[in-house]
Short mmCIF file of all heavy atoms in Angstrom, two decimals:
data_model
loop_
_atom_site.label_atom_id
_atom_site.label_comp_id
_atom_site.label_asym_id
_atom_site.label_seq_id
_atom_site.Cartn_x
_atom_site.Cartn_y
_atom_site.Cartn_z
N ALA O 141 16.03 -6.83 -21.66
CA ALA O 141 17.35 -6.77 -22.31
C ALA O 141 17.37 -5.82 -23.50
O ALA O 141 18.40 -5.22 -23.79
CB ALA O 141 17.77 -8.17 -22.75
N SER O 142 16.25 -5.66 -24.16
CA SER O 142 16.22 -4.81 -25.35
C SER O 142 15.99 -3.34 -25.04
O SER O 142 16.11 -2.49 -25.93
CB SER O 142 15.13 -5.31 -26.32
OG SER O 142 13.87 -5.24 -25.70
N VAL O 143 15.67 -3.02 -23.80
CA VAL O 143 15.37 -1.62 -23.46
C VAL O 143 16.28 -1.06 -22.37
O VAL O 143 16.39 0.16 -22.25
CB VAL O 143 13.89 -1.47 -23.03
CG1 VAL O 143 12.96 -1.82 -24.17
CG2 VAL O 143 13.57 -2.32 -21.80
N ALA O 144 16.90 -1.92 -21.58
CA ALA O 144 17.75 -1.45 -20.47
C ALA O 144 19.20 -1.34 -20.92
O ALA O 144 19.81 -2.31 -21.34
CB ALA O 144 17.64 -2.40 -19.28
N SER O 145 19.75 -0.15 -20.84
CA SER O 145 21.15 0.06 -21.19
C SER O 145 22.05 -0.43 -20.08
O SER O 145 21.60 -0.69 -18.95
CB SER O 145 21.41 1.54 -21.45
OG SER O 145 21.28 2.28 -20.23
N TYR O 146 23.36 -0.53 -20.38
CA TYR O 146 24.31 -0.94 -19.35
C TYR O 146 24.30 0.07 -18.20
O TYR O 146 24.35 -0.32 -17.03
CB TYR O 146 25.71 -1.05 -19.94
CG TYR O 146 26.78 -1.20 -18.88
CD1 TYR O 146 26.98 -2.42 -18.24
CD2 TYR O 146 27.57 -0.12 -18.49
CE1 TYR O 146 27.94 -2.56 -17.24
CE2 TYR O 146 28.54 -0.25 -17.50
CZ TYR O 146 28.71 -1.47 -16.88
OH TYR O 146 29.66 -1.61 -15.90
N GLY O 147 24.22 1.36 -18.53
CA GLY O 147 24.21 2.39 -17.49
C GLY O 147 23.02 2.25 -16.56
O GLY O 147 23.14 2.39 -15.34
N ILE O 148 21.86 1.98 -17.13
CA ILE O 148 20.66 1.77 -16.31
C ILE O 148 20.82 0.52 -15.45
O ILE O 148 20.47 0.51 -14.27
CB ILE O 148 19.41 1.65 -17.22
CG1 ILE O 148 19.08 3.00 -17.86
CG2 ILE O 148 18.21 1.12 -16.43
CD1 ILE O 148 17.94 2.96 -18.85
N GLY O 149 21.38 -0.53 -16.04
CA GLY O 149 21.60 -1.75 -15.29
C GLY O 149 22.55 -1.55 -14.12
O GLY O 149 22.32 -2.06 -13.02
N LYS O 150 23.60 -0.79 -14.35
CA LYS O 150 24.59 -0.54 -13.29
C LYS O 150 23.98 0.28 -12.16
O LYS O 150 24.18 -0.02 -10.98
CB LYS O 150 25.80 0.19 -13.89
CG LYS O 150 26.93 0.41 -12.89
CD LYS O 150 28.12 1.08 -13.55
CE LYS O 150 29.25 1.29 -12.54
NZ LYS O 150 30.41 1.96 -13.18
N ALA O 151 23.24 1.33 -12.52
CA ALA O 151 22.59 2.16 -11.50
C ALA O 151 21.55 1.34 -10.74
O ALA O 151 21.41 1.47 -9.52
CB ALA O 151 21.95 3.38 -12.16
N SER O 152 20.82 0.50 -11.47
CA SER O 152 19.80 -0.33 -10.85
C SER O 152 20.41 -1.34 -9.88
O SER O 152 19.80 -1.70 -8.87
CB SER O 152 18.99 -1.08 -11.92
OG SER O 152 18.31 -0.17 -12.76
N GLU O 153 21.63 -1.79 -10.19
CA GLU O 153 22.30 -2.74 -9.30
C GLU O 153 22.57 -2.10 -7.93
O GLU O 153 22.38 -2.74 -6.89
CB GLU O 153 23.61 -3.21 -9.92
CG GLU O 153 24.33 -4.26 -9.08
CD GLU O 153 25.61 -4.74 -9.74
OE1 GLU O 153 26.27 -3.95 -10.44
OE2 GLU O 153 25.98 -5.92 -9.53
N GLU O 154 22.98 -0.85 -7.94
CA GLU O 154 23.23 -0.15 -6.68
C GLU O 154 21.94 0.03 -5.89
O GLU O 154 21.89 -0.17 -4.67
CB GLU O 154 23.89 1.20 -6.96
CG GLU O 154 25.27 1.07 -7.60
CD GLU O 154 25.88 2.42 -7.95
OE1 GLU O 154 25.26 3.45 -7.63
OE2 GLU O 154 26.98 2.44 -8.53
N VAL O 155 20.87 0.39 -6.60
CA VAL O 155 19.56 0.54 -5.96
C VAL O 155 19.09 -0.81 -5.41
O VAL O 155 18.57 -0.90 -4.29
CB VAL O 155 18.53 1.10 -6.96
CG1 VAL O 155 17.13 1.09 -6.36
CG2 VAL O 155 18.92 2.51 -7.40
N HIS O 156 19.29 -1.86 -6.20
CA HIS O 156 18.88 -3.21 -5.82
C HIS O 156 19.57 -3.63 -4.52
O HIS O 156 18.93 -4.22 -3.63
CB HIS O 156 19.24 -4.17 -6.95
CG HIS O 156 18.61 -5.52 -6.84
ND1 HIS O 156 17.26 -5.75 -7.02
CD2 HIS O 156 19.16 -6.74 -6.56
CE1 HIS O 156 17.01 -7.03 -6.87
NE2 HIS O 156 18.14 -7.66 -6.58
N GLU O 157 20.84 -3.34 -4.40
CA GLU O 157 21.59 -3.73 -3.21
C GLU O 157 21.11 -2.97 -1.97
O GLU O 157 21.01 -3.54 -0.88
CB GLU O 157 23.08 -3.50 -3.44
CG GLU O 157 23.68 -4.47 -4.46
CD GLU O 157 25.13 -4.16 -4.78
OE1 GLU O 157 25.64 -3.13 -4.28
OE2 GLU O 157 25.75 -4.94 -5.53
N VAL O 158 20.82 -1.68 -2.14
CA VAL O 158 20.31 -0.88 -1.02
C VAL O 158 18.94 -1.40 -0.58
O VAL O 158 18.67 -1.58 0.62
CB VAL O 158 20.22 0.60 -1.41
CG1 VAL O 158 19.48 1.40 -0.33
CG2 VAL O 158 21.60 1.19 -1.63
N LEU O 159 18.08 -1.67 -1.56
CA LEU O 159 16.75 -2.19 -1.25
C LEU O 159 16.81 -3.54 -0.56
O LEU O 159 16.01 -3.84 0.34
CB LEU O 159 15.93 -2.29 -2.53
CG LEU O 159 15.47 -0.97 -3.15
CD1 LEU O 159 14.89 -1.21 -4.53
CD2 LEU O 159 14.44 -0.28 -2.26
N ALA O 160 17.77 -4.38 -0.97
CA ALA O 160 17.93 -5.69 -0.34
C ALA O 160 18.28 -5.53 1.13
O ALA O 160 17.75 -6.25 1.99
CB ALA O 160 19.01 -6.50 -1.07
N GLY O 161 19.15 -4.57 1.45
CA GLY O 161 19.49 -4.31 2.84
C GLY O 161 18.29 -3.80 3.63
O GLY O 161 18.05 -4.23 4.78
N LEU O 162 17.50 -2.91 3.02
CA LEU O 162 16.31 -2.39 3.69
C LEU O 162 15.29 -3.51 3.91
O LEU O 162 14.63 -3.55 4.96
CB LEU O 162 15.68 -1.28 2.84
CG LEU O 162 16.49 0.01 2.72
CD1 LEU O 162 15.79 0.97 1.76
CD2 LEU O 162 16.67 0.67 4.08
N LEU O 163 15.19 -4.42 2.93
CA LEU O 163 14.26 -5.54 3.08
C LEU O 163 14.65 -6.42 4.25
O LEU O 163 13.79 -6.86 5.03
CB LEU O 163 14.21 -6.36 1.79
CG LEU O 163 13.31 -7.59 1.84
CD1 LEU O 163 11.85 -7.18 2.00
CD2 LEU O 163 13.48 -8.45 0.59
N MET O 164 15.95 -6.71 4.38
CA MET O 164 16.40 -7.55 5.49
C MET O 164 16.06 -6.90 6.84
O MET O 164 15.63 -7.58 7.78
CB MET O 164 17.91 -7.79 5.39
CG MET O 164 18.34 -8.63 4.18
SD MET O 164 17.62 -10.28 4.13
CE MET O 164 16.37 -10.04 2.85
N ALA O 165 16.22 -5.58 6.91
CA ALA O 165 15.89 -4.86 8.15
C ALA O 165 14.39 -4.92 8.41
O ALA O 165 13.94 -5.14 9.55
CB ALA O 165 16.37 -3.42 8.06
N ALA O 166 13.60 -4.72 7.35
CA ALA O 166 12.14 -4.75 7.51
C ALA O 166 11.66 -6.13 7.92
O ALA O 166 10.76 -6.27 8.76
CB ALA O 166 11.48 -4.32 6.20
N ILE O 167 12.26 -7.17 7.33
CA ILE O 167 11.87 -8.54 7.69
C ILE O 167 12.21 -8.82 9.16
O ILE O 167 11.41 -9.43 9.88
CB ILE O 167 12.58 -9.55 6.77
CG1 ILE O 167 11.99 -9.49 5.36
CG2 ILE O 167 12.46 -10.97 7.33
CD1 ILE O 167 12.70 -10.35 4.35
N ALA O 168 13.38 -8.37 9.60
CA ALA O 168 13.77 -8.58 11.00
C ALA O 168 12.77 -7.89 11.93
O ALA O 168 12.36 -8.47 12.95
CB ALA O 168 15.18 -8.03 11.23
N PHE O 169 12.37 -6.68 11.57
CA PHE O 169 11.40 -5.94 12.39
C PHE O 169 10.05 -6.66 12.38
O PHE O 169 9.40 -6.80 13.42
CB PHE O 169 11.24 -4.52 11.83
CG PHE O 169 10.39 -3.63 12.68
CD1 PHE O 169 10.92 -2.92 13.74
CD2 PHE O 169 9.03 -3.50 12.41
CE1 PHE O 169 10.13 -2.10 14.53
CE2 PHE O 169 8.22 -2.69 13.18
CZ PHE O 169 8.77 -1.98 14.25
#
Side-chain angles (χ1 to χ4, degrees):
S142 61
V143 297
S145 67
Y146 169 77
I148 290 175
K150 184 178 180 181
S152 298
E153 183 178 32
E154 296 177 4
V155 173
H156 193 71
E157 291 175 355
V158 171
L159 288 170
L162 292 176
L163 178 65
M164 293 301 104
I167 289 174
F169 186 86

